[in-house]
Amino acid sequence: MSEEVTFALLGPVRMWRSGTEVPAGSPQQKALIAMLLLHEGRVASIDELTAALWDDAPPRGAFGTLRTYVSRLRRLLDGTNAAVDTGAGGYALHTAPGSVDVAQFETLVRNGRQLGRGADLTGAVAALTDALALWQGEGLDGVPGTYAANQRVRLQEERMAATSLRIAALLDTGSPVVPELTSMVESHPYREELRALLMRALYRDGRQADAIDTFHDGARLLKDELGLDPGHALREMYQRILESDPTLAVVAPTADPHTSVLRPAQLPADQRDFVGRERELAWADALLDPELAPTSALISGMGGVGKSSLALYWAHRNIDTFPDGQLYVDLRGFDHSRAPLDPQDALVILLESLGISGDHVPDTLDARAALYRSALAGRRVLVLLDNARDAEQVRPLLPGASGSLALITSRDRLVALRVTGTESVHLDVLGDDDGATLLLQRAGRDHVDADSASLAQIVRAAAGLPLALAVVGARLRDARDVPFATVAGELRSARAVLDSLGDPDPTVDVRAVLSWSCNNLDTLSLQVLCELAVLPEAPFDVAAARSATGSRDLALLETLVRASLLVRTGSTQYAMHDLVRAYAREVAAEKPDMRQAAIGRAMDHFIGSANEATILLEPIRVPLELPVPAPGAEIVRPADATAALTWLAEHRGVLHAAVETAVAEGLDEQAWQLTWCLATYLHRAEYWSDAIALWRVGLAAAERCGSVVGRARTHQGLGVAQGVQSGLGVPGSYVPGSAQDATYSTHTHLTEAVRLYMSVDMPSAAAWALVSLGSYNGAGTKSDAVADALQRAIELSDEPSLHALALNNLAVHYTTLGDLRRARATAHEALARLAVTDDAVAIAHATDTLGIVQLADGDARAATVSFFKAARAFADARDLKNQGTSLANLGDAYAAAGDPTAAAAVRAEALDLLHDTRDPVADRLRNLLGHAAGSAA
């Protein structure tokens, strides 16, 4: 069994084996031991060791001598639990934990510091006293060289810091320290922290004049000897003594169990039926980590979201962590009937709760705050500051040192506190599952008819707000014969929730709770909230916010975010809680002119921006003719078609909600215009069911407002969407039993669109409707009707792109009829019409059509060339869907040419492009590739 070896560096370098001292060797040998020990197991390089032993003048053969010293040390350590290892370019000395007095000293000082931050000042004094007792000299005594001298200075600084900590802890416990401090100040006259401690100790002993003399003596010494003025800490102590700061005479309580200390226990009742909040509880638990040790933490969130419930739930479960008590103060920051509590008055409450009588409470805010911090020093107290209004109200109430914790709740995010180190978490509404659980707990799980659908509807109506759910639950508990479905029917909107959840007690009246937050806003911020509330019920971006408010000042948005009336959901995205929006809309209704102006600007923004994106997305379409937007309405103009597609995809939800808002406000003209823009994107993204539903809303709006153009556009859009969804215009994809009905509906809508366009002299728009009419036709459509529609479209317009599209469709129509001669001629004519344009996408479509005709005519080789050109052109234009379709056609051409390998390759490439689309070509490719794989097997 190996012997234990220990080392001492805090004095002469010494070592012991099993308690018996052994010689450490020559001064250079001791220098080697010291350096290796101070590296704490890390490798010390040969150069470092040489410099430590001989500074910059190593003797001849220094490396050999160093190896001799290492060899001697290894012999000294042979058979012990320590060893010297050879590392990369040097040596490392590995020792057992706690076997070096320097490490013991640093551990004891660290423990003493932590105990001093907590409640155990007696333990802190003991640990620091033990640490200082390890010193037997100056450190590294007798070891030569610059390295040893530098380390000696470092160790002496640590010794002095530990001494100061010990005396400060003794002073806080009321122990007599003046004699020791006087001696230390005489030995270290330039150490200002020791002089400040001596001044405080003298003042505490009733020797105010001596304390002032001590300051002046130090000030003269610094000036005469060093030409310096006293530092901030020393000047501050002097000023506090001049002002007779009462906190200087306060003795902090110790952790001695025999000491009688008032232990407040003021927490309100625990929260029953607490639900969820796992993430936030984990955050709160982390506050207890000694490494973090914050003095303050904030739970913020909108009114009724459960901030106080969370704080109380966590506090009750961690009472044992704060053995010196729990304080509670309602700061009344958002109270319906009383003014916010003044911090001076709050300090009186807190000080008296800590056992300091009113007679000893100072008059000024700063003095009270200082006395409060001193009273908390050395204790572990939880201070729950509920319902704070702002940082100014809270700041004087925060503990001054770790150990105690102020847990704050506020509707405001209190940014000023967070900037200075307050930990924080922002509370959101409950998720659907937790919301349902809370509702059931409050209603009683045995409540009649608690069906899941109605339960989910109530949770959605309450928008996950715990206060609203608790109120509904309590009412259901009192009326157990009322089914959930009945209540769900009553709570069909946010406005209905506010009406239904009124109560004589304003603390549980949801409308009243929300009003307190709004009433704390300044006039301009409240107006901005009301203007934002008119926006559609969906997240919105900065451009929409600026449009609704007619302002470009983002600081107002951040004011509402800090007040928890608005939520930032992204770098430029915001959202408003449904019930906040409902209440703000009620306030806005009291100012109809402001409200209508905000709605008008918002609609101009959404329609104008969506129209700009649609023009880029579909440049061949006839754009909307819009009036000049109202002043303050911001129009977003995407840079190109890709950016337009992205903007429409990101704003799909809010644009759909804008349509609903326009309908609800009776703005039917805007409703069909928004429909036209959004449905264009839905067509591109192949959301056909959504598009059909939206077109129907737009058509109804156009009919209500009597807009002929609106009716024409929505009839056209509805006809196209129904035609595509039913598979019309796609050979081989007709739905049995429904095709003729779909054809009739599509034909009716498109025919009506043409008639309406012509009635208001819009032949170009009519031409596009005719192209659609000739494109989406089912099995029951007469062939001459298709040709007539497409030919008439060409006659009505002089646009080459429209001509090419009509001729393309006509070529496909002739191919379907088997008239391949006319099909070829028509396809070539389409390409000829496009030769005068730079429309690369239209040329790609025409080339693809020519390939279809060529393949049908048996010319597979020519078809492969056409399909290849078309696919490449679509790829250049980043039109992946049409690129995939052309590649699928190319696969058919390769197969017809007798090259199944090439066919399979391009079909696989096409399927990769079409995999996530709703295009029936993708299903056909899957079948073909599956059959091909089966045949190969």
Side-chain angles (χ1 to χ4, degrees), residues 539-587:
F540 55 88
D541 60 13
V542 170
R546 287 197 291 242
S547 298
T549 62
S551 167
R552 297 181 182 275
D553 186 0
L554 297 182
L556 294 171
L557 298 183
E558 292 307 309
T559 297
L560 298 176
V561 170
R562 289 195 297 272
S564 298
L565 292 168
L566 204 61
V567 177
R568 181 189 284 275
T569 59
S571 59
T572 61
Q573 285 284 121
Y574 296 86
M576 188 181 294
H577 189 276
D578 290 350
L579 298 181
V580 173
R581 181 186 294 106
Y583 177 76
R585 285 180 174 177
E586 291 181 357
V587 178

Short mmCIF file of all heavy atoms in Angstrom, two decimals, residues 539-587:
data_model
loop_
_atom_site.label_atom_id
_atom_site.label_comp_id
_atom_site.label_asym_id
_atom_site.label_seq_id
_atom_site.Cartn_x
_atom_site.Cartn_y
_atom_site.Cartn_z
N PRO A 539 -50.80 36.81 -36.45
CA PRO A 539 -49.54 37.54 -36.25
C PRO A 539 -49.31 38.55 -37.37
O PRO A 539 -49.72 38.33 -38.51
CB PRO A 539 -48.48 36.43 -36.26
CG PRO A 539 -49.23 35.21 -35.83
CD PRO A 539 -50.60 35.35 -36.42
N PHE A 540 -48.67 39.65 -37.06
CA PHE A 540 -48.45 40.70 -38.06
C PHE A 540 -47.01 41.17 -37.98
O PHE A 540 -46.32 40.97 -36.96
CB PHE A 540 -49.42 41.86 -37.86
CG PHE A 540 -49.39 42.45 -36.46
CD1 PHE A 540 -48.50 43.47 -36.14
CD2 PHE A 540 -50.25 41.98 -35.49
CE1 PHE A 540 -48.47 44.00 -34.86
CE2 PHE A 540 -50.22 42.51 -34.20
CZ PHE A 540 -49.33 43.52 -33.88
N ASP A 541 -46.55 41.81 -39.06
CA ASP A 541 -45.17 42.28 -39.08
C ASP A 541 -45.11 43.78 -38.88
O ASP A 541 -46.14 44.45 -38.70
CB ASP A 541 -44.47 41.85 -40.38
CG ASP A 541 -45.15 42.41 -41.62
OD1 ASP A 541 -46.00 43.32 -41.50
OD2 ASP A 541 -44.85 41.93 -42.73
N VAL A 542 -43.89 44.30 -38.91
CA VAL A 542 -43.68 45.72 -38.64
C VAL A 542 -44.38 46.59 -39.68
O VAL A 542 -44.97 47.63 -39.34
CB VAL A 542 -42.16 46.03 -38.63
CG1 VAL A 542 -41.91 47.52 -38.60
CG2 VAL A 542 -41.52 45.38 -37.41
N ALA A 543 -44.35 46.17 -40.95
CA ALA A 543 -44.99 46.98 -42.00
C ALA A 543 -46.49 47.11 -41.75
O ALA A 543 -47.07 48.18 -41.91
CB ALA A 543 -44.73 46.35 -43.37
N ALA A 544 -47.13 46.02 -41.35
CA ALA A 544 -48.56 46.07 -41.04
C ALA A 544 -48.82 46.95 -39.83
O ALA A 544 -49.78 47.73 -39.80
CB ALA A 544 -49.10 44.67 -40.81
N ALA A 545 -47.95 46.84 -38.83
CA ALA A 545 -48.12 47.65 -37.62
C ALA A 545 -47.97 49.13 -37.93
O ALA A 545 -48.77 49.97 -37.47
CB ALA A 545 -47.10 47.23 -36.57
N ARG A 546 -46.95 49.47 -38.71
CA ARG A 546 -46.77 50.88 -39.06
C ARG A 546 -47.94 51.40 -39.89
O ARG A 546 -48.32 52.56 -39.77
CB ARG A 546 -45.45 51.06 -39.81
CG ARG A 546 -44.23 50.95 -38.92
CD ARG A 546 -43.00 51.54 -39.58
NE ARG A 546 -42.57 50.74 -40.71
CZ ARG A 546 -41.38 50.14 -40.80
NH1 ARG A 546 -40.55 50.22 -39.78
NH2 ARG A 546 -41.04 49.46 -41.85
N SER A 547 -48.50 50.54 -40.73
CA SER A 547 -49.63 50.97 -41.54
C SER A 547 -50.86 51.21 -40.67
O SER A 547 -51.55 52.22 -40.82
CB SER A 547 -49.93 49.91 -42.61
OG SER A 547 -48.84 49.75 -43.49
N ALA A 548 -51.15 50.29 -39.77
CA ALA A 548 -52.33 50.45 -38.92
C ALA A 548 -52.22 51.70 -38.05
O ALA A 548 -53.21 52.40 -37.83
CB ALA A 548 -52.51 49.21 -38.05
N THR A 549 -51.02 51.98 -37.58
CA THR A 549 -50.85 53.11 -36.67
C THR A 549 -50.52 54.41 -37.40
O THR A 549 -50.55 55.49 -36.80
CB THR A 549 -49.72 52.83 -35.67
OG1 THR A 549 -48.49 52.65 -36.38
CG2 THR A 549 -50.03 51.57 -34.87
N GLY A 550 -50.15 54.30 -38.69
CA GLY A 550 -49.74 55.49 -39.41
C GLY A 550 -48.44 56.06 -38.88
O GLY A 550 -48.11 57.22 -39.11
N SER A 551 -47.69 55.22 -38.13
CA SER A 551 -46.46 55.67 -37.49
C SER A 551 -45.32 54.77 -37.88
O SER A 551 -45.50 53.58 -38.14
CB SER A 551 -46.63 55.66 -35.96
OG SER A 551 -45.38 55.81 -35.33
N ARG A 552 -44.12 55.31 -37.89
CA ARG A 552 -42.93 54.52 -38.15
C ARG A 552 -42.06 54.42 -36.89
O ARG A 552 -40.90 54.06 -36.96
CB ARG A 552 -42.12 55.11 -39.30
CG ARG A 552 -42.91 55.09 -40.61
CD ARG A 552 -42.11 55.66 -41.76
NE ARG A 552 -42.91 55.68 -42.98
CZ ARG A 552 -43.04 54.65 -43.80
NH1 ARG A 552 -42.40 53.53 -43.56
NH2 ARG A 552 -43.78 54.74 -44.89
N ASP A 553 -42.63 54.75 -35.74
CA ASP A 553 -41.89 54.73 -34.49
C ASP A 553 -42.04 53.36 -33.83
O ASP A 553 -43.04 53.06 -33.19
CB ASP A 553 -42.42 55.83 -33.56
CG ASP A 553 -41.58 55.95 -32.28
OD1 ASP A 553 -40.61 55.17 -32.14
OD2 ASP A 553 -41.90 56.80 -31.45
N LEU A 554 -41.04 52.51 -33.98
CA LEU A 554 -41.10 51.16 -33.43
C LEU A 554 -41.01 51.16 -31.91
O LEU A 554 -41.33 50.15 -31.28
CB LEU A 554 -39.98 50.30 -34.02
CG LEU A 554 -40.04 50.07 -35.53
CD1 LEU A 554 -38.89 49.17 -35.96
CD2 LEU A 554 -41.36 49.45 -35.93
N ALA A 555 -40.57 52.25 -31.32
CA ALA A 555 -40.47 52.30 -29.86
C ALA A 555 -41.83 52.10 -29.21
O ALA A 555 -41.93 51.53 -28.12
CB ALA A 555 -39.87 53.64 -29.42
N LEU A 556 -42.90 52.53 -29.89
CA LEU A 556 -44.24 52.35 -29.34
C LEU A 556 -44.61 50.87 -29.29
O LEU A 556 -45.29 50.42 -28.36
CB LEU A 556 -45.25 53.13 -30.17
CG LEU A 556 -45.09 54.66 -30.12
CD1 LEU A 556 -45.99 55.32 -31.13
CD2 LEU A 556 -45.37 55.17 -28.72
N LEU A 557 -44.18 50.11 -30.29
CA LEU A 557 -44.43 48.67 -30.25
C LEU A 557 -43.71 48.03 -29.07
O LEU A 557 -44.26 47.17 -28.38
CB LEU A 557 -43.98 48.01 -31.56
CG LEU A 557 -44.68 48.46 -32.84
CD1 LEU A 557 -44.16 47.65 -34.03
CD2 LEU A 557 -46.18 48.30 -32.73
N GLU A 558 -42.47 48.44 -28.84
CA GLU A 558 -41.70 47.87 -27.74
C GLU A 558 -42.29 48.25 -26.39
O GLU A 558 -42.20 47.48 -25.43
CB GLU A 558 -40.24 48.31 -27.84
CG GLU A 558 -39.51 47.73 -29.04
CD GLU A 558 -39.62 46.22 -29.09
OE1 GLU A 558 -39.35 45.55 -28.08
OE2 GLU A 558 -40.03 45.71 -30.15
N THR A 559 -42.91 49.42 -26.32
CA THR A 559 -43.60 49.79 -25.08
C THR A 559 -44.71 48.80 -24.77
O THR A 559 -44.88 48.37 -23.61
CB THR A 559 -44.20 51.21 -25.21
OG1 THR A 559 -43.14 52.14 -25.39
CG2 THR A 559 -45.01 51.59 -23.98
N LEU A 560 -45.45 48.40 -25.79
CA LEU A 560 -46.54 47.43 -25.59
C LEU A 560 -45.99 46.04 -25.31
O LEU A 560 -46.61 45.27 -24.55
CB LEU A 560 -47.44 47.41 -26.84
CG LEU A 560 -48.14 48.73 -27.15
CD1 LEU A 560 -48.91 48.62 -28.45
CD2 LEU A 560 -49.07 49.13 -26.01
N VAL A 561 -44.86 45.70 -25.89
CA VAL A 561 -44.23 44.41 -25.58
C VAL A 561 -43.82 44.38 -24.12
O VAL A 561 -44.06 43.39 -23.42
CB VAL A 561 -43.01 44.17 -26.50
CG1 VAL A 561 -42.21 42.96 -26.02
CG2 VAL A 561 -43.46 43.95 -27.94
N ARG A 562 -43.19 45.45 -23.65
CA ARG A 562 -42.76 45.49 -22.25
C ARG A 562 -43.95 45.41 -21.30
O ARG A 562 -43.83 44.87 -20.20
CB ARG A 562 -41.96 46.77 -21.98
CG ARG A 562 -40.59 46.79 -22.63
CD ARG A 562 -39.71 47.89 -22.04
NE ARG A 562 -40.26 49.21 -22.28
CZ ARG A 562 -40.02 49.93 -23.37
NH1 ARG A 562 -39.23 49.46 -24.32
NH2 ARG A 562 -40.54 51.13 -23.50
N ALA A 563 -45.09 45.94 -21.75
CA ALA A 563 -46.30 45.91 -20.91
C ALA A 563 -47.06 44.59 -21.05
O ALA A 563 -48.13 44.44 -20.47
CB ALA A 563 -47.22 47.07 -21.29
N SER A 564 -46.51 43.65 -21.81
CA SER A 564 -47.12 42.32 -22.02
C SER A 564 -48.49 42.42 -22.69
O SER A 564 -49.34 41.55 -22.51
CB SER A 564 -47.24 41.55 -20.69
OG SER A 564 -45.97 41.32 -20.14
N LEU A 565 -48.69 43.47 -23.48
CA LEU A 565 -49.91 43.60 -24.26
C LEU A 565 -49.67 43.22 -25.72
O LEU A 565 -50.61 43.14 -26.51
CB LEU A 565 -50.44 45.03 -24.18
CG LEU A 565 -50.94 45.44 -22.80
CD1 LEU A 565 -51.16 46.94 -22.71
CD2 LEU A 565 -52.23 44.69 -22.45
N LEU A 566 -48.44 43.01 -26.05
CA LEU A 566 -48.03 42.59 -27.38
C LEU A 566 -46.89 41.60 -27.20
O LEU A 566 -46.12 41.71 -26.25
CB LEU A 566 -47.55 43.82 -28.17
CG LEU A 566 -47.60 43.77 -29.70
CD1 LEU A 566 -49.03 43.58 -30.19
CD2 LEU A 566 -47.02 45.06 -30.28
N VAL A 567 -46.81 40.62 -28.09
CA VAL A 567 -45.77 39.60 -27.98
C VAL A 567 -44.92 39.65 -29.24
O VAL A 567 -45.46 39.66 -30.36
CB VAL A 567 -46.38 38.19 -27.83
CG1 VAL A 567 -45.28 37.14 -27.79
CG2 VAL A 567 -47.23 38.12 -26.57
N ARG A 568 -43.62 39.72 -29.06
CA ARG A 568 -42.72 39.63 -30.22
C ARG A 568 -42.51 38.16 -30.54
O ARG A 568 -42.01 37.39 -29.71
CB ARG A 568 -41.37 40.29 -29.90
CG ARG A 568 -40.40 40.25 -31.07
CD ARG A 568 -39.03 40.72 -30.62
NE ARG A 568 -38.97 42.16 -30.45
CZ ARG A 568 -38.72 43.01 -31.44
NH1 ARG A 568 -38.53 42.56 -32.67
NH2 ARG A 568 -38.66 44.30 -31.22
N THR A 569 -42.89 37.75 -31.75
CA THR A 569 -42.78 36.34 -32.15
C THR A 569 -41.62 36.11 -33.11
O THR A 569 -41.37 34.99 -33.52
CB THR A 569 -44.08 35.86 -32.81
OG1 THR A 569 -44.35 36.67 -33.97
CG2 THR A 569 -45.24 35.96 -31.85
N GLY A 570 -40.92 37.14 -33.49
CA GLY A 570 -39.78 37.05 -34.39
C GLY A 570 -39.10 38.39 -34.45
O GLY A 570 -39.50 39.35 -33.77
N SER A 571 -38.06 38.50 -35.27
CA SER A 571 -37.33 39.77 -35.32
C SER A 571 -38.20 40.92 -35.81
O SER A 571 -38.00 42.06 -35.42
CB SER A 571 -36.10 39.62 -36.22
OG SER A 571 -36.48 39.25 -37.54
N THR A 572 -39.18 40.62 -36.67
CA THR A 572 -40.08 41.66 -37.17
C THR A 572 -41.54 41.25 -37.05
O THR A 572 -42.40 41.84 -37.69
CB THR A 572 -39.78 41.98 -38.65
OG1 THR A 572 -39.97 40.80 -39.45
CG2 THR A 572 -38.35 42.45 -38.82
N GLN A 573 -41.84 40.24 -36.25
CA GLN A 573 -43.19 39.71 -36.13
C GLN A 573 -43.76 39.94 -34.74
O GLN A 573 -43.03 39.83 -33.74
CB GLN A 573 -43.20 38.20 -36.42
CG GLN A 573 -43.06 37.85 -37.90
CD GLN A 573 -44.34 38.08 -38.67
OE1 GLN A 573 -44.35 38.84 -39.62
NE2 GLN A 573 -45.41 37.44 -38.28
N TYR A 574 -45.03 40.25 -34.67
CA TYR A 574 -45.71 40.48 -33.41
C TYR A 574 -47.05 39.74 -33.41
O TYR A 574 -47.58 39.39 -34.46
CB TYR A 574 -45.96 41.98 -33.18
CG TYR A 574 -44.71 42.80 -33.05
CD1 TYR A 574 -44.08 43.30 -34.20
CD2 TYR A 574 -44.15 43.06 -31.81
CE1 TYR A 574 -42.91 44.06 -34.09
CE2 TYR A 574 -42.98 43.82 -31.71
CZ TYR A 574 -42.37 44.31 -32.84
OH TYR A 574 -41.24 45.05 -32.74
N ALA A 575 -47.56 39.53 -32.20
CA ALA A 575 -48.88 38.91 -32.05
C ALA A 575 -49.56 39.55 -30.85
O ALA A 575 -48.91 40.03 -29.92
CB ALA A 575 -48.77 37.40 -31.88
N MET A 576 -50.89 39.53 -30.88
CA MET A 576 -51.69 40.07 -29.79
C MET A 576 -52.64 38.99 -29.30
O MET A 576 -53.26 38.29 -30.11
CB MET A 576 -52.48 41.30 -30.27
CG MET A 576 -53.20 42.06 -29.15
SD MET A 576 -54.14 43.50 -29.78
CE MET A 576 -52.80 44.54 -30.37
N HIS A 577 -52.72 38.84 -27.99
CA HIS A 577 -53.62 37.84 -27.42
C HIS A 577 -55.06 38.17 -27.80
O HIS A 577 -55.46 39.34 -27.86
CB HIS A 577 -53.47 37.80 -25.90
CG HIS A 577 -54.17 36.68 -25.24
ND1 HIS A 577 -55.50 36.74 -24.90
CD2 HIS A 577 -53.75 35.44 -24.87
CE1 HIS A 577 -55.86 35.61 -24.33
NE2 HIS A 577 -54.81 34.80 -24.31
N ASP A 578 -55.85 37.14 -28.06
CA ASP A 578 -57.22 37.34 -28.53
C ASP A 578 -58.04 38.21 -27.59
O ASP A 578 -58.82 39.07 -28.02
CB ASP A 578 -57.92 35.99 -28.72
CG ASP A 578 -57.36 35.21 -29.89
OD1 ASP A 578 -56.57 35.79 -30.66
OD2 ASP A 578 -57.68 34.02 -30.03
N LEU A 579 -57.89 37.98 -26.27
CA LEU A 579 -58.71 38.74 -25.33
C LEU A 579 -58.21 40.18 -25.18
O LEU A 579 -59.00 41.10 -24.97
CB LEU A 579 -58.72 38.04 -23.96
CG LEU A 579 -59.32 36.64 -23.97
CD1 LEU A 579 -59.31 36.05 -22.57
CD2 LEU A 579 -60.76 36.66 -24.50
N VAL A 580 -56.90 40.38 -25.31
CA VAL A 580 -56.37 41.75 -25.33
C VAL A 580 -56.92 42.48 -26.55
O VAL A 580 -57.35 43.64 -26.47
CB VAL A 580 -54.83 41.75 -25.36
CG1 VAL A 580 -54.30 43.17 -25.56
CG2 VAL A 580 -54.28 41.16 -24.07
N ARG A 581 -56.92 41.79 -27.71
CA ARG A 581 -57.45 42.40 -28.92
C ARG A 581 -58.93 42.74 -28.75
O ARG A 581 -59.37 43.84 -29.14
CB ARG A 581 -57.26 41.46 -30.11
CG ARG A 581 -57.77 42.06 -31.42
CD ARG A 581 -57.71 41.07 -32.57
NE ARG A 581 -56.33 40.73 -32.91
CZ ARG A 581 -55.76 39.57 -32.61
NH1 ARG A 581 -56.45 38.63 -31.96
NH2 ARG A 581 -54.51 39.33 -32.95
N ALA A 582 -59.69 41.83 -28.16
CA ALA A 582 -61.12 42.08 -27.99
C ALA A 582 -61.35 43.30 -27.11
O ALA A 582 -62.21 44.15 -27.40
CB ALA A 582 -61.80 40.85 -27.39
N TYR A 583 -60.59 43.41 -26.02
CA TYR A 583 -60.77 44.57 -25.14
C TYR A 583 -60.32 45.85 -25.83
O TYR A 583 -61.01 46.89 -25.76
CB TYR A 583 -59.99 44.38 -23.83
CG TYR A 583 -60.11 45.59 -22.94
CD1 TYR A 583 -61.28 45.82 -22.21
CD2 TYR A 583 -59.09 46.52 -22.86
CE1 TYR A 583 -61.42 46.95 -21.42
CE2 TYR A 583 -59.21 47.66 -22.07
CZ TYR A 583 -60.39 47.86 -21.35
OH TYR A 583 -60.53 48.98 -20.58
N ALA A 584 -59.18 45.80 -26.52
CA ALA A 584 -58.69 47.00 -27.20
C ALA A 584 -59.66 47.44 -28.29
O ALA A 584 -59.81 48.65 -28.55
CB ALA A 584 -57.30 46.73 -27.79
N ARG A 585 -60.31 46.49 -28.96
CA ARG A 585 -61.31 46.86 -29.97
C ARG A 585 -62.50 47.56 -29.33
O ARG A 585 -63.10 48.46 -29.93
CB ARG A 585 -61.76 45.62 -30.73
CG ARG A 585 -60.72 45.13 -31.75
CD ARG A 585 -61.19 43.91 -32.50
NE ARG A 585 -60.24 43.56 -33.57
CZ ARG A 585 -60.36 42.50 -34.36
NH1 ARG A 585 -61.39 41.68 -34.22
NH2 ARG A 585 -59.47 42.27 -35.30
N GLU A 586 -62.85 47.16 -28.11
CA GLU A 586 -63.93 47.86 -27.42
C GLU A 586 -63.54 49.31 -27.14
O GLU A 586 -64.34 50.23 -27.29
CB GLU A 586 -64.25 47.14 -26.10
CG GLU A 586 -64.91 45.78 -26.30
CD GLU A 586 -65.23 45.12 -24.97
OE1 GLU A 586 -64.88 45.71 -23.91
OE2 GLU A 586 -65.82 44.03 -24.97
N VAL A 587 -62.29 49.50 -26.73
CA VAL A 587 -61.82 50.86 -26.48
C VAL A 587 -61.78 51.66 -27.78
O VAL A 587 -62.17 52.82 -27.84
CB VAL A 587 -60.42 50.83 -25.82
CG1 VAL A 587 -59.90 52.25 -25.60
CG2 VAL A 587 -60.48 50.07 -24.49
#
